[in-house]
Amino acid sequence: MSLLTDVAEGALEPEYRVAVPGGPTRLPLLVAVTLIVALVTVALLQTTRGAGAEADQRADLLDRVATARARQSELAERAAALEQEVRELGEEALGDPTQRERLGAVETSAGAVPVAGPGIIVTVDDAAEGGTDNGLVLDSDLSRLVNGLWQAGAEAVAINGRRITTLTPIRAAGAAITVDFVSLSPPYRVEVIGDPATMQARFNQTPAAAWWQFITANYGLTMTIEQADDDLALPADPGMAIRYATTD
């Protein structure tokens, strides 16, 4: 009987024997649970308040961006209207039709006005395998191409929608090519207004054509030339509004 009594009395650990309702370990447990609940509540409140503040800041920033874009669009429209007004006043001041015609020719060659007319489309691209500079279209390659097109009788040129003039820089900026300080990506679509019946044949006789034949044959670059089905429409050079020349 003494063995059974010992087994019954030792069936529970001493900690379990004292952890009874109202026992001495209940108060620390309640304190611990209360602290945990309080910490979780504070964390949730801080997270909620932080999310609300970030949402307010984001909404405010989006409103400011939308306002700035609207203002930019308004100023661009105003600038275009003023440029048109100045152009009309200039034409009125030139009473001689010959002078007006010369002014129009100068504005066209300088890229100050949008132009439209028949022409050709030249598309150049990197090599399919790529990977090295030899398989990429470089800024110097585009410059040679444009110069060859001018030599072939081009009246207006645009690359990926950017009008090219004598003041338009074509430069490398890291892995990209910038035209008038705007980064472009291949393939490069060169739209050329001019006589489509003679321009391609005249271009084939230029040093630019010889250079492009060499790099396409040896480095895998591609170039296609096709006559435009419809008249091409090239925009004005956006930088003409802030460019000017001095005698200094």
Side-chain angles (χ1 to χ4, degrees):
M1 292 298 292
S2 61
L3 178 60
L4 293 176
T5 302
D6 293 340
V7 170
E9 290 179 352
L12 295 177
E13 296 293 334
E15 292 81 2
Y16 288 98
R17 288 202 299 271
V18 299
V20 296
T25 60
R26 187 175 185 183
L27 181 58
L29 179 61
L30 290 175
V31 172
V33 172
T34 303
L35 289 175
I36 293 174
V37 171
L39 291 174
V40 171
T41 302
V42 171
L44 289 175
L45 288 174
Q46 291 179 345
T47 302
T48 303
R49 291 175 180 175
E54 290 181 359
D56 292 341
Q57 292 177 356
R58 178 180 176 82
D60 180 64
L61 181 59
L62 291 175
D63 289 341
R64 293 169 60 185
V65 170
T67 302
R69 287 180 175 174
R71 179 60 175 167
Q72 181 183 17
S73 178
E74 179 183 348
L75 291 175
E77 293 178 359
R78 178 61 177 164
L82 290 174
E83 289 179 4
Q84 180 63 28
E85 184 179 352
V86 169
R87 188 174 299 110
E88 292 175 356
L89 291 174
E91 291 178 353
E92 291 178 3
L94 295 175
D96 188 348
T98 303
Q99 292 181 339
R100 291 184 181 181
E101 183 177 352
R102 291 178 58 187
L103 176 61
V106 170
E107 288 180 331
T108 299
S109 61
V113 294
V115 293
I120 62 174
I121 300 172
V122 183
T123 305
V124 297
D125 200 357
D126 299 336
E129 299 300 328
T132 64
D133 289 346
N134 290 335
L136 301 177
V137 177
L138 305 179
D139 56 328
S140 57
D141 300 329
L142 278 182
S143 295
R144 291 193 189 198
L145 175 60
V146 171
N147 290 336
L149 292 170
W150 289 125
Q151 187 177 351
E155 300 174 9
V157 179
I159 301 178
N160 287 14
R162 302 294 301 185
R163 185 76 172 272
I164 304 298
T165 70
T166 55
L167 298 177
T168 304
I170 301 176
R171 296 287 184 268
I177 295 179
T178 65
V179 175
D180 208 9
F181 307 107
V182 175
S183 296
L184 304 181
S185 300
Y188 303 101
R189 176 185 170 93
V190 185
E191 296 175 300
V192 189
I193 291 180
D195 187 355
T198 61
M199 195 182 314
Q200 183 172 350
R202 295 177 63 179
F203 173 75
N204 290 335
Q205 300 175 359
T206 64
W211 172 254
W212 268 93
Q213 289 173 2
F214 171 78
I215 60 178
T216 54
N218 291 275
Y219 301 120
L221 280 72
T222 62
M223 179 177 70
T224 60
I225 303 177
E226 58 182 343
Q227 182 174 336
D229 295 332
D230 301 315
D231 284 356
L232 299 173
L234 308 187
D237 178 10
M240 286 304 299
I242 59 174
R243 291 175 178 163
Y244 60 94
T246 66
T247 57
D248 295 339

